[in-house]
C-alpha cells in the first residue's frame, strides 16, 4: 500500500514588513499509499501581507493527480488539510487557527484521460474551512490512465489580537 502527500508551507505577513530571510522554506514530503497514483504540489506559496481583520486570498499553484494504475474502474479521492498558522513559537496572539483558513479547489485546469473529475469546492462561495480534512478533488468514474490538475485557493482571515510577524502553516494534499 502506498501513499503520496505533499506539504505546502504558505506564509503570510501580519502588519509590517517581512524581516530579512523570511522567504518560505520549501517542505515537500512524499510517501506512497497506492502504487501508480501520484500527487504533486508546489513546495511553497506566499499569501502576502495583511493586518488584523484583513482576509488574504491567494492561489497555492497547480496541484496534479496522475493515475497510471491498470485497475478498472480506477477512481480516487484527493484530500486537503492544514495546520494553524503560527509565528515566533506560537501561543496566545501568535496563532491563526484553522477556523480562519478556508480552501476551494476551483475547476479542472487541465486533464488527460476519461472519467468524471469532481472538484471539492468549485467556487469561492463553496470554500470550506480546514478544521478537518476536506475533499479537494475526486475521480468518481472511468477507466484507464488519467491526469487532472487544479489551482486551489487558500483564504486566511487574520483575527484581531494577533501580533505582527511572519506566520507559516502547512497545507497537506493527499490522494488515495
Amino acid at each position: 500500500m502506498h501513499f503520496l502527500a505533499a506539504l505546502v508551507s504558505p506564509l503570510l505577513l501580519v502588519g509590517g514588513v517581512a524581516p530579512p530571510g523570511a522567504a518560505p522554506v520549501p517542505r515537500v514530503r512524499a510517501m506512497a499509499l497506492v502504487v501508480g497514483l501520484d500527487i504533486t504540489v508546489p513546495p511553497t506559496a506566499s499569501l502576502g501581507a495583511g493586518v488584523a481583520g484583513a482576509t488574504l486570498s491567494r492561489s497555492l499553484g497547480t496541484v496534479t493527480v496522475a493515475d497510471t494504475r491498470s485497475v478498472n474502474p480506477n477512481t480516487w479521492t484527493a484530500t486537503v488539510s492544514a495546520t494553524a498558522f503560527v509565528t515566533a513559537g506560537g501561543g496566545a496572539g501568535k496563532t491563526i487557527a484553522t477556523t480562519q483558513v478556508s480552501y476551494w479547489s476551483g475547476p479542472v485546469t487541465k486533464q488527460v484521460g476519461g472519467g468524471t473529475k469532481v472538484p471539492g469546492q468549485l467556487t469561492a462561495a463553496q470554500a470550506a474551512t480546514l478544521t478537518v480534512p476536506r475533499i479537494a478533488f475526486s475521480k468518481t468514474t472511468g477507466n484507464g490512465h488519467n491526469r487532472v490538475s487544479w489551482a486551489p485557493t487558500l483564504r486566511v482571515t487574520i483575527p484581531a489580537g494577533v501580533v505582527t510577524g511572519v506566520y507559516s502553516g502547512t497545507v497537506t494534499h493527499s490522494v488515495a
Side-chain angles (χ1 to χ4, degrees):
M1 185 175 286
H2 295 291
F3 172 74
L4 181 63
L7 305 179
V8 177
S9 300
L11 291 181
L12 61 103
L13 175 65
V14 175
V17 177
V25 177
R27 294 190 308 183
V28 176
R29 177 178 58 169
M31 302 170 293
L33 258 185
V34 179
V35 174
L37 190 57
D38 296 312
I39 189 167
T40 56
V41 301
T44 61
S46 177
L47 299 179
V51 296
T55 298
L56 302 175
S57 184
R58 300 279 190 284
S59 173
L60 292 177
T62 300
V63 176
T64 301
V65 171
D67 189 348
T68 59
R69 298 174 296 165
S70 296
V71 298
N72 288 316
N74 56 353
T75 60
W76 49 261
T77 299
T79 59
V80 60
S81 61
T83 65
F85 284 71
V86 297
T87 189
K94 297 180 179 180
T95 301
I96 299 173
T98 55
T99 56
Q100 304 299 312
V101 180
S102 297
Y103 173 99
W104 72 92
S105 54
V108 169
T109 57
K110 184 176 183 182
Q111 66 179 327
V112 175
T116 304
K117 286 93 170 183
V118 181
Q121 311 77 26
L122 182 59
T123 67
Q126 297 168 326
T129 59
L130 293 180
T131 54
V132 297
R134 304 289 183 178
I135 293 175
F137 235 91
S138 60
K139 179 177 179 239
T140 59
T141 66
N143 297 327
H145 296 189
N146 60 86
R147 178 182 300 264
V148 64
S149 298
W150 66 96
T153 299
L154 195 68
R155 179 173 56 205
V156 177
T157 301
I158 304 168
V162 296
V163 300
T164 298
V166 176
Y167 288 73
S168 63
T170 301
V171 174
T172 303
H173 284 86
S174 59
V175 67

